Amino acid sequence: SSDVYKRQTIIIPSGEFVLEGSLIITDDLEINGAGATETIIDLSRQGNIQISNSAVVSIDGITIENGQASEGGAISLVAGEVESPSSLELTSSILRSNGAGGGGAIHQDANTRLYITDSWIHGNEAHYKYGGGQNNGGGILTAGIFVITNTTISNNKTCLSANGGWYGNGGGIHIEHGNHTCLLYTSDAADEGL
């Protein structure tokens, strides 16, 4: 039926793919890999994946590594319209070795939705050297609604502030001030801060 809405789909085969610069997604999109150990996106320390403009995005079966940005080393989820928030479903994927000023792997704005299932958030870093100056959320920095299921968040870290006076908050997950909905199901957060 022409009335049935379908998102665009990108299928990425096995292999390692290097991106130079950020990938900006402003429309609904499905990105499917061959499995997290098979399909690897290397962001080459030159950007991240930005989801904005109320886009509804799913990423399945992919590793995203070596991203770098002031917010969200691998993925930045930018606020959409109140009635139509930007959202991300991350499934059976790995985010590793990414760095940002806030949200080493993922930075989630208010008025967004984040769903993570069967994934691994590992070895990411929030550090002022990447810009942004927050140092919070070594794995995830969130100000929105998020649901995490059967996922391991491990070996992520924050750093000292530029003047050496304090460490950032939330080695695993840092929840920003305000009202939030947070659901964790059979998940393992192996870092300080939730």
Side-chain angles (χ1 to χ4, degrees):
S1 167
S2 61
D3 295 330
V4 177
Y5 172 75
K6 294 183 68 175
R7 287 186 282 186
Q8 296 294 314
T9 301
I10 296 174
I11 298 175
I12 306 176
S14 298
E16 183 169 344
F17 304 90
V18 178
L19 295 183
E20 297 180 357
S22 292
L23 173 63
I24 300 172
I25 301 172
T26 58
D27 293 303
D28 296 355
L29 183 65
E30 294 181 15
I31 304 175
N32 299 323
T37 61
E38 301 295 324
T39 301
I40 299 170
I41 296 177
D42 186 339
L43 294 169
S44 63
R45 298 290 176 194
Q46 297 185 53
N48 65 356
I49 296 172
Q50 300 172 24
I51 300 168
S52 62
N53 197 40
S54 300
V56 176
V57 176
S58 67
I59 297 174
D60 191 329
I62 291 174
T63 288
I64 302 172
E65 64 183 17
N66 298 325
Q68 181 174 316
S70 61
E71 295 184 341
I75 299 170
S76 178
L77 190 53
V78 181
E81 299 295 328
V82 173
E83 301 82 8
S84 180
S86 302
S87 71
L88 169 65
E89 295 180 18
L90 182 73
T91 306
S92 301
S93 294
I94 298 171
L95 304 182
R96 67 185 181 198
S97 303
N98 301 286
I106 299 174
H107 185 282
Q108 180 189 9
D109 281 352
N111 195 39
T112 61
R113 306 288 184 267
L114 174 63
Y115 308 93
I116 304 176
T117 305
D118 297 328
S119 294
W120 188 28
I121 314 297
H122 176 78
N124 304 284
E125 179 184 38
H127 195 298
Y128 67 87
K129 68 185 178 184
Y130 301 118
Q134 295 174 325
N135 293 356
N136 294 329
I140 300 169
L141 189 153
T142 176
I145 292 173
F146 68 99
V147 179
I148 300 177
T149 305
N150 196 32
T151 290
T152 297
I153 301 170
S154 62
N155 289 41
N156 303 284
K157 64 181 181 179
T158 62
C159 73
L160 279 170
S161 62
N163 62 14
W166 49 271
Y167 281 96
N169 297 310
I173 302 172
H174 177 68
I175 301 174
E176 293 278 69
H177 55 81
N179 297 319
H180 304 282
T181 298
C182 164
L183 297 173
L184 297 176
Y185 299 104
T186 60
S187 296
D188 176 22
D191 312 86
E192 176 274 326
L194 175 64

